[in-house]
Amino acid sequence: MIALIVLIPVFVTVVLAFRPQLQSTSHSFFTLENFTYVFSQTQVLTWLRNSLIVTLATVVVAILVAAPAGYVLSRSRSKAISGYALMLFIAQSFPQIVSIVPLFVLFAKFNLVDNLFGLAILYVSITISVATWMMAAYFDTIPVALEEAAWIDGCSLFGGFVRIVLRNSLPGVLSTAIFAFLLAWSDFLIAVVFLRSDTNFTLPIGLQTFFSTNSTEWGYVMAVSVVVLVPPVIVFSFLNRYFSIGGIGGSLAGH
Amino acid sequence: MTSTQTRSSGVLNGLSRARRGVGLGGRSEHAPRPPRRFSTRSITLTLLVIPSVVLVVLIYGYPAIYSVFQSLHDGNLVEVGEFVGLENYRIVLHNPVFWQSVEFTILYCVVGVFGSWVVGLALALLLRKRMYGRSFLKTLLLLPWVVPVVVTATAWKWLVATPSSVVPRLAEDLGLGQLLFLDSPGLAKTIVIAYKIWLSFPFMMLMASAALAGVENDLYEAARVDGASSWQQFRRITLPLIARSTYISWILMFIFCIGDFQSIYLLTGGGPVSSTSTLVVLAYETVFGNFQTGPGVAIGIIMTVVSVLVSVVLFRRIKKVQIS
């Protein structure tokens, strides 16, 4: 019952996407014409491709950066690392809006404005704090004794990290990946500032172009909305068994 | 293989911090630190953390310094402009719209944090009960957080925006008269905050669920034997035991609320007459709408200082919270 009330906005989107436009000739209750229109007349496919490229790049790089950092955060007790943990925390409480103007100037120098690669770099950086905490929280649950045994057998520290810790951290890695995916997939602020040409738009920006000044074609808007919401929902429903974010509390309090 | 590799090194601690009681090993927390030295081990650890540090310094450190610089000049997006000292801050502080935004930002954060916490905690408590389709329900309840904001903001808009939308029509049928949700400041504020709570409760629910999972059932058993009511159990057992996680979720949610641009901008654009504009939206509008880079960045700086201070103070408080 609660779930039903909560999900009204999501249902509305899906239902309207399959309903004919007001001025349309068909009077059936269910139609695909909104979808055929947006796929054939607009650049939805290009936007979808851009979104997929940027998001996947973000997820891969975020894991590559956050997993080693999370490992160090989880295993090290040095002062410097505690300082770094605080730095991550301050970075997280830094409003994006403040850094976006200077970054725009910086990225313009390197030709990274209106560029999907530049966008991915920014997305990795906004996920970095939470991703690192999530990884650290998961690594905390893996006994150090396992690594110690490996070191005695002549394994290097890095070898132990990769072969013992990472190999046993699939749920942690997947959680972090899902988190990075959701953030990158749905970002609007960074994309709206950094993307200039419509061939580079990601889906959220593309969707906004449908809100014209005079009348909004709700059917088309909702059809694109469905395209935007399907990938995260699919990813989440298949992988939510692995998803846990609650651990970051412990990882934060530990430092 | 060097001898340092088998000796315990200062950078590694035992399982004093591992939670969920996994295994036992390593040293006690009070093991003496070995003398500092540059072992291969500490070099490896440093190398592992370097990419992350570089990224943070580049994407957070550099803009932080540069934006302070920008706020002291009257430049624009491309040029630095003249040095004007604190002029931009004076302009901002004398602007009534700024103070209006401060007011709404406080309201938005406070109601957003506590509203989503109450809803999230209530649902987390409900979901502890064994019932049919529990995991499916849990997944459904996470949807507001999983579905991108652009989509849900659009749907919310469709539900309330025009006089012929669903919610205004319902209101009219109930005899509440003509309600134009996005045209009256009061109603627009309500909608924006309600939307924020709707977006955020899944996150709070996840945090609360994780914390509740760590509370032993025996405690409740004992309390029941002693004749404690369920409210007393909640007040005396549940709340104190999840206090730490609660504080952390408040801090994180505060950070998410104060920095949240997307949900407000997409739902109301900060209108009507900037009544729903928080400091973030105002900063964006000032920089990208009115092309007043200096004042816009100054708003951002003021916001950052406050939000970093609040989080760090709260964060320090948490570390003092001892689990008795």
Side-chain angles (χ1 to χ4, degrees):
Chain A
M1 189 61 222
I2 303 169
L4 284 182
I5 293 171
V6 162
L7 293 178
I8 286 171
V10 183
F11 292 145
V12 161
T13 305
V14 178
V15 168
L16 286 177
F18 293 101
R19 289 284 303 280
Q21 295 277 19
L22 291 176
Q23 70 278 25
S24 130
T25 45
S26 86
H27 289 289
S28 61
F29 214 68
F30 174 90
T31 170
L32 286 174
E33 62 183 29
N34 294 327
F35 286 91
T36 49
Y37 175 86
V38 295
F39 279 118
S40 61
Q41 304 298 318
T42 68
Q43 293 178 300
V44 165
L45 285 173
T46 315
W47 301 334
L48 181 64
R49 194 204 60 193
N50 293 342
S51 270
L52 285 172
I53 292 172
V54 172
T55 306
L56 290 178
T58 303
V59 167
V60 171
V61 179
I63 298 287
L64 286 177
V65 174
Y71 177 71
V72 177
L73 221 56
S74 155
R75 296 292 190 251
S76 163
R77 297 310 265 152
S78 74
K79 276 268 183 293
I81 294 299
S82 286
Y84 180 62
L86 188 68
M87 198 159 110
L88 277 180
F89 186 75
I90 291 174
Q92 180 65 50
S93 49
F94 214 85
Q96 282 170 34
I97 194 86
V98 181
S99 39
I100 219 161
V101 181
L103 285 174
F104 188 84
V105 179
L106 179 72
F107 276 44
K109 282 185 191 134
F110 293 99
N111 247 333
L112 288 170
V113 170
D114 200 13
N115 170 315
L116 295 177
F117 176 70
L119 202 60
I121 296 177
L122 289 166
Y123 288 166
V124 170
S125 67
I126 56 171
T127 57
I128 200 81
S129 295
V130 177
T132 308
W133 294 328
M134 282 171 87
M135 293 303 322
Y138 200 85
F139 295 151
D140 279 346
T141 65
I142 293 176
V144 180
L146 288 178
E147 287 150 80
E148 284 169 342
W151 299 332
I152 287 166
D153 293 340
C155 204
S156 68
L157 181 80
F158 182 72
F161 162 59
V162 174
R163 288 186 206 154
I164 310 288
V165 179
L166 263 189
R167 189 172 282 187
N168 290 309
S169 299
L170 184 68
V173 171
L174 276 176
S175 286
T176 312
I178 293 172
F179 175 80
F181 177 92
L182 292 179
L183 223 71
W185 186 265
S186 58
D187 165 79
F188 178 79
L189 171 60
I190 294 178
V192 86
V193 172
F194 278 79
L195 297 179
R196 296 278 162 225
S197 51
D198 55 7
T199 48
N200 277 335
F201 281 0
T202 51
L203 279 170
I205 310 296
L207 181 63
Q208 282 307 297
T209 59
F210 282 80
F211 287 97
S212 53
T213 40
N214 37 25
S215 73
T216 307
E217 301 283 8
W218 287 105
Y220 301 152
V221 169
M222 295 304 184
V224 180
S225 293
V226 168
V227 177
V228 182
L229 75 81
V230 162
V233 169
I234 289 179
V235 166
F236 200 80
S237 21
F238 277 103
L239 297 176
N240 86 46
R241 281 186 304 135
Y242 296 105
F243 188 77
S244 80
I245 199 167
I248 63 174
S251 136
L252 265 171
H255 280 279
Chain B
M1 178 173 143
T2 60
S3 64
T4 49
Q5 278 176 312
T6 48
R7 288 176 50 190
S8 63
S9 146
V11 282
L12 290 165
N13 68 314
L15 270 185
S16 52
R17 295 180 36 242
R19 275 152 201 88
R20 298 190 224 165
V22 189
L24 279 172
R27 292 149 293 280
S28 77
E29 215 163 353
H30 308 292
R33 272 182 171 235
R36 283 186 170 279
R37 63 187 181 284
F38 287 104
S39 59
T40 35
R41 198 177 284 294
S42 55
I43 292 172
T44 312
L45 282 171
T46 312
L47 284 177
L48 286 178
V49 83
I50 273 184
S52 167
V53 174
V54 167
L55 199 66
V56 170
V57 168
L58 190 78
I59 303 284
Y60 291 96
Y62 162 78
I65 294 162
Y66 189 81
S67 57
V68 171
F69 179 80
Q70 269 188 313
S71 75
L72 300 173
H73 289 72
D74 75 347
N76 54 32
L77 282 177
V78 239
E79 287 159 17
V80 177
E82 300 279 310
F83 179 78
V84 291
L86 294 174
E87 180 60 20
N88 288 323
Y89 291 89
R90 204 188 56 82
I91 295 173
V92 167
L93 294 175
H94 283 186
N95 181 354
V97 176
F98 170 78
W99 293 107
Q100 191 190 320
S101 295
V102 169
E103 222 172 285
F104 183 64
T105 307
I106 295 170
L107 180 75
Y108 183 76
C109 288
V110 171
V111 181
V113 169
F114 291 105
S116 59
W117 174 65
V118 168
V119 177
L121 181 61
L123 289 169
L125 287 166
L126 267 181
L127 285 169
R128 288 176 84 188
K129 305 218 179 2
R130 291 238 159 272
M131 57 178 164
Y132 180 69
R134 186 170 62 161
S135 62
F136 177 67
L137 193 65
K138 204 167 180 169
T139 312
L140 273 189
L141 285 173
L142 292 179
L143 276 183
W145 186 65
V146 171
V147 175
V149 171
V150 252
V151 174
T152 54
T154 306
W156 274 67
K157 228 184 195 159
W158 184 84
L159 285 168
V160 300
T162 59
S164 58
S165 304
V166 181
V167 178
R169 264 197 263 166
L170 267 178
E172 212 163 341
D173 293 343
L174 292 171
L176 296 173
Q178 269 267 321
L179 291 183
L180 291 173
F181 279 90
L182 299 184
D183 295 343
S184 89
L187 283 174
K189 282 179 182 177
T190 314
I191 290 284
V192 166
I193 292 174
Y195 178 52
K196 183 63 189 173
I197 292 174
W198 184 83
L199 278 178
S200 313
F201 82 80
F203 176 82
M204 298 305 250
M205 186 175 92
L206 285 172
M207 293 286 280
S209 286
L212 290 171
V215 181
E216 303 289 335
N217 262 327
D218 316 2
L219 292 170
Y220 295 109
E221 293 292 333
R224 257 195 299 273
V225 171
D226 294 341
S229 67
S230 46
W231 169 247
Q232 280 173 316
Q233 286 177 30
F234 174 72
R235 262 303 277 114
R236 304 267 170 239
I237 301 173
T238 314
L239 274 186
L241 282 175
I242 63 168
R244 195 180 222 184
S245 136
T246 302
Y247 291 139
I248 288 182
S249 66
W250 285 354
I251 294 184
L252 287 173
M253 193 42 71
F254 166 75
I255 293 172
F256 295 153
C257 280
I258 200 167
D260 185 6
F261 166 81
Q262 314 189 70
S263 72
I264 299 181
Y265 185 81
L266 293 169
L267 192 58
T268 65
V273 281
S274 60
S275 59
T276 55
S277 142
T278 55
L279 288 174
V280 184
V281 180
L282 187 67
Y284 176 88
E285 282 300 330
T286 314
V287 175
F288 294 100
N290 311 340
F291 300 108
Q292 296 173 298
T293 311
V297 175
I299 296 171
I301 303 257
I302 295 169
M303 215 177 97
T304 308
V305 170
V306 172
S307 101
V308 169
L309 274 180
V310 171
S311 343
V312 171
V313 166
L314 287 172
F315 195 59
R316 293 258 172 246
R317 286 278 311 274
I318 291 182
K319 298 181 87 159
K320 296 200 179 81
V321 174
Q322 290 303 322
I323 298 174
S324 47

